[in-house]
Amino acid sequence: MHAVKPAHHTLTPIAIMAMALLREDDMHPYEMIRLLRHRRDDRMVAITNGTFYHTIARLQRAGLIDEVGSDRDGNRPERTTYTLLPAGAEAVRAWLRAELPRVDRPVEFRVALAEAHNLERSEVIELLRQRATELDADYAEHRTGLAAARADGVPEQYLIEVERQEALLTAETRWLHQTIDRLADPGYAWGGDPKPHETVYRAQREAARS
């Protein structure tokens, strides 16, 4: 008999983005899609209507979100509004804890970083420090391999992709250590109200509803 995986193990980046929106307020899927696109969150993950509605259905079946009502605006189809359940909020946090330290899932990390504010500052710092340890090891291994290839006389034309990867690792390693230092500064705002800039937030919601 196979053990049942924890809820967060089966979640996709789109599911996390959907539940993070519901942390802000109850919404219907159409508004959620429009809001994600308005905020340009679709730069991280491709969002199609079919996939998004399927994701919402899966989250409801899993007991992570639930319906709280429906409405109809003029001749438009009836729209069902969803809310985030406590199990969903905890699943989001568990997913973030699993993905923030990993260095082998770039898409998931981008979404986890965007939603990291759902965790306490101290926890995010610790998770990113774990990631930094892994990234530093990868960087050192990569540089050693590149140096060995050059010492063996491998022509530069065959090392173009390897050099690019070295540049990316250099930049990300530097950025990550700087970011950890910034987060450790008490003056760096963190957490609190999921919609702190009320005027901007209301404008985004109105644009998504139109």
Side-chain angles (χ1 to χ4, degrees):
M1 185 175 184
H2 296 291
V4 177
K5 290 184 178 181
H8 72 274
H9 283 203
T10 62
L11 293 175
T12 63
I14 291 179
I16 295 298
M17 294 163 74
M19 289 194 289
L21 281 181
L22 293 178
R23 180 177 178 265
E24 298 177 12
D25 203 356
D26 298 344
M27 301 183 200
H28 53 72
Y30 176 78
E31 180 183 358
M32 295 165 72
I33 293 170
R34 292 288 299 272
L35 192 53
L36 287 170
R37 289 174 176 160
H38 181 81
R39 294 174 176 176
R40 302 294 187 265
D41 287 338
D42 53 351
R43 75 191 187 283
M44 297 185 288
V45 180
I47 299 172
T48 64
N49 289 11
T51 299
F52 196 85
Y53 277 91
H54 178 69
T55 297
I56 292 298
R58 287 184 60 238
L59 292 174
Q60 184 180 18
R61 289 196 300 269
L64 303 178
I65 67 174
D66 203 4
E67 299 177 11
V68 289
S70 60
D71 61 79
R72 186 188 300 274
D73 184 5
N75 294 324
R76 292 176 177 173
E78 186 174 76
R79 292 172 177 168
T80 301
T81 300
Y82 293 87
T83 193
L84 181 66
L85 298 176
E90 181 51 41
V92 170
R93 290 190 289 267
W95 190 89
L96 296 176
R97 293 178 185 119
E99 296 298 337
L100 281 172
R102 296 189 62 166
V103 298
D104 60 335
R105 287 156 63 94
V107 173
E108 285 80 358
F109 176 68
R110 291 185 70 185
V111 174
L113 192 63
E115 301 301 340
H117 55 268
N118 287 282
L119 298 177
E120 294 295 327
R121 179 200 304 263
S122 59
E123 189 170 17
V124 173
I125 291 173
E126 177 55 32
L127 292 168
L128 291 181
R129 281 176 176 159
Q130 293 174 28
R131 180 182 182 84
T133 298
E134 294 291 329
L135 201 60
D136 288 343
D138 282 357
Y139 182 48
E141 182 179 357
H142 192 85
R143 285 179 60 85
T144 298
L146 181 58
R150 285 174 171 153
D152 288 342
V154 176
E156 289 293 320
Q157 62 181 307
Y158 299 126
L159 299 176
I160 291 178
E161 189 281 328
V162 183
E163 291 171 343
R164 173 184 178 273
Q165 184 63 16
E166 181 190 23
L168 293 175
L169 284 169
T170 299
E172 184 171 4
T173 300
R174 182 186 302 115
W175 170 85
L176 184 55
H177 285 285
Q178 291 174 346
T179 298
I180 291 170
D181 289 341
R182 290 173 67 202
L183 286 174
D185 181 354
Y188 189 95
W190 191 261
D193 190 334
K195 47 181 188 297
H197 306 294
E198 190 66 29
T199 301
V200 174
Y201 179 75
R202 288 186 179 278
Q204 291 177 340
R205 292 291 300 275
E206 288 300 321
R209 289 167 178 158
S210 62

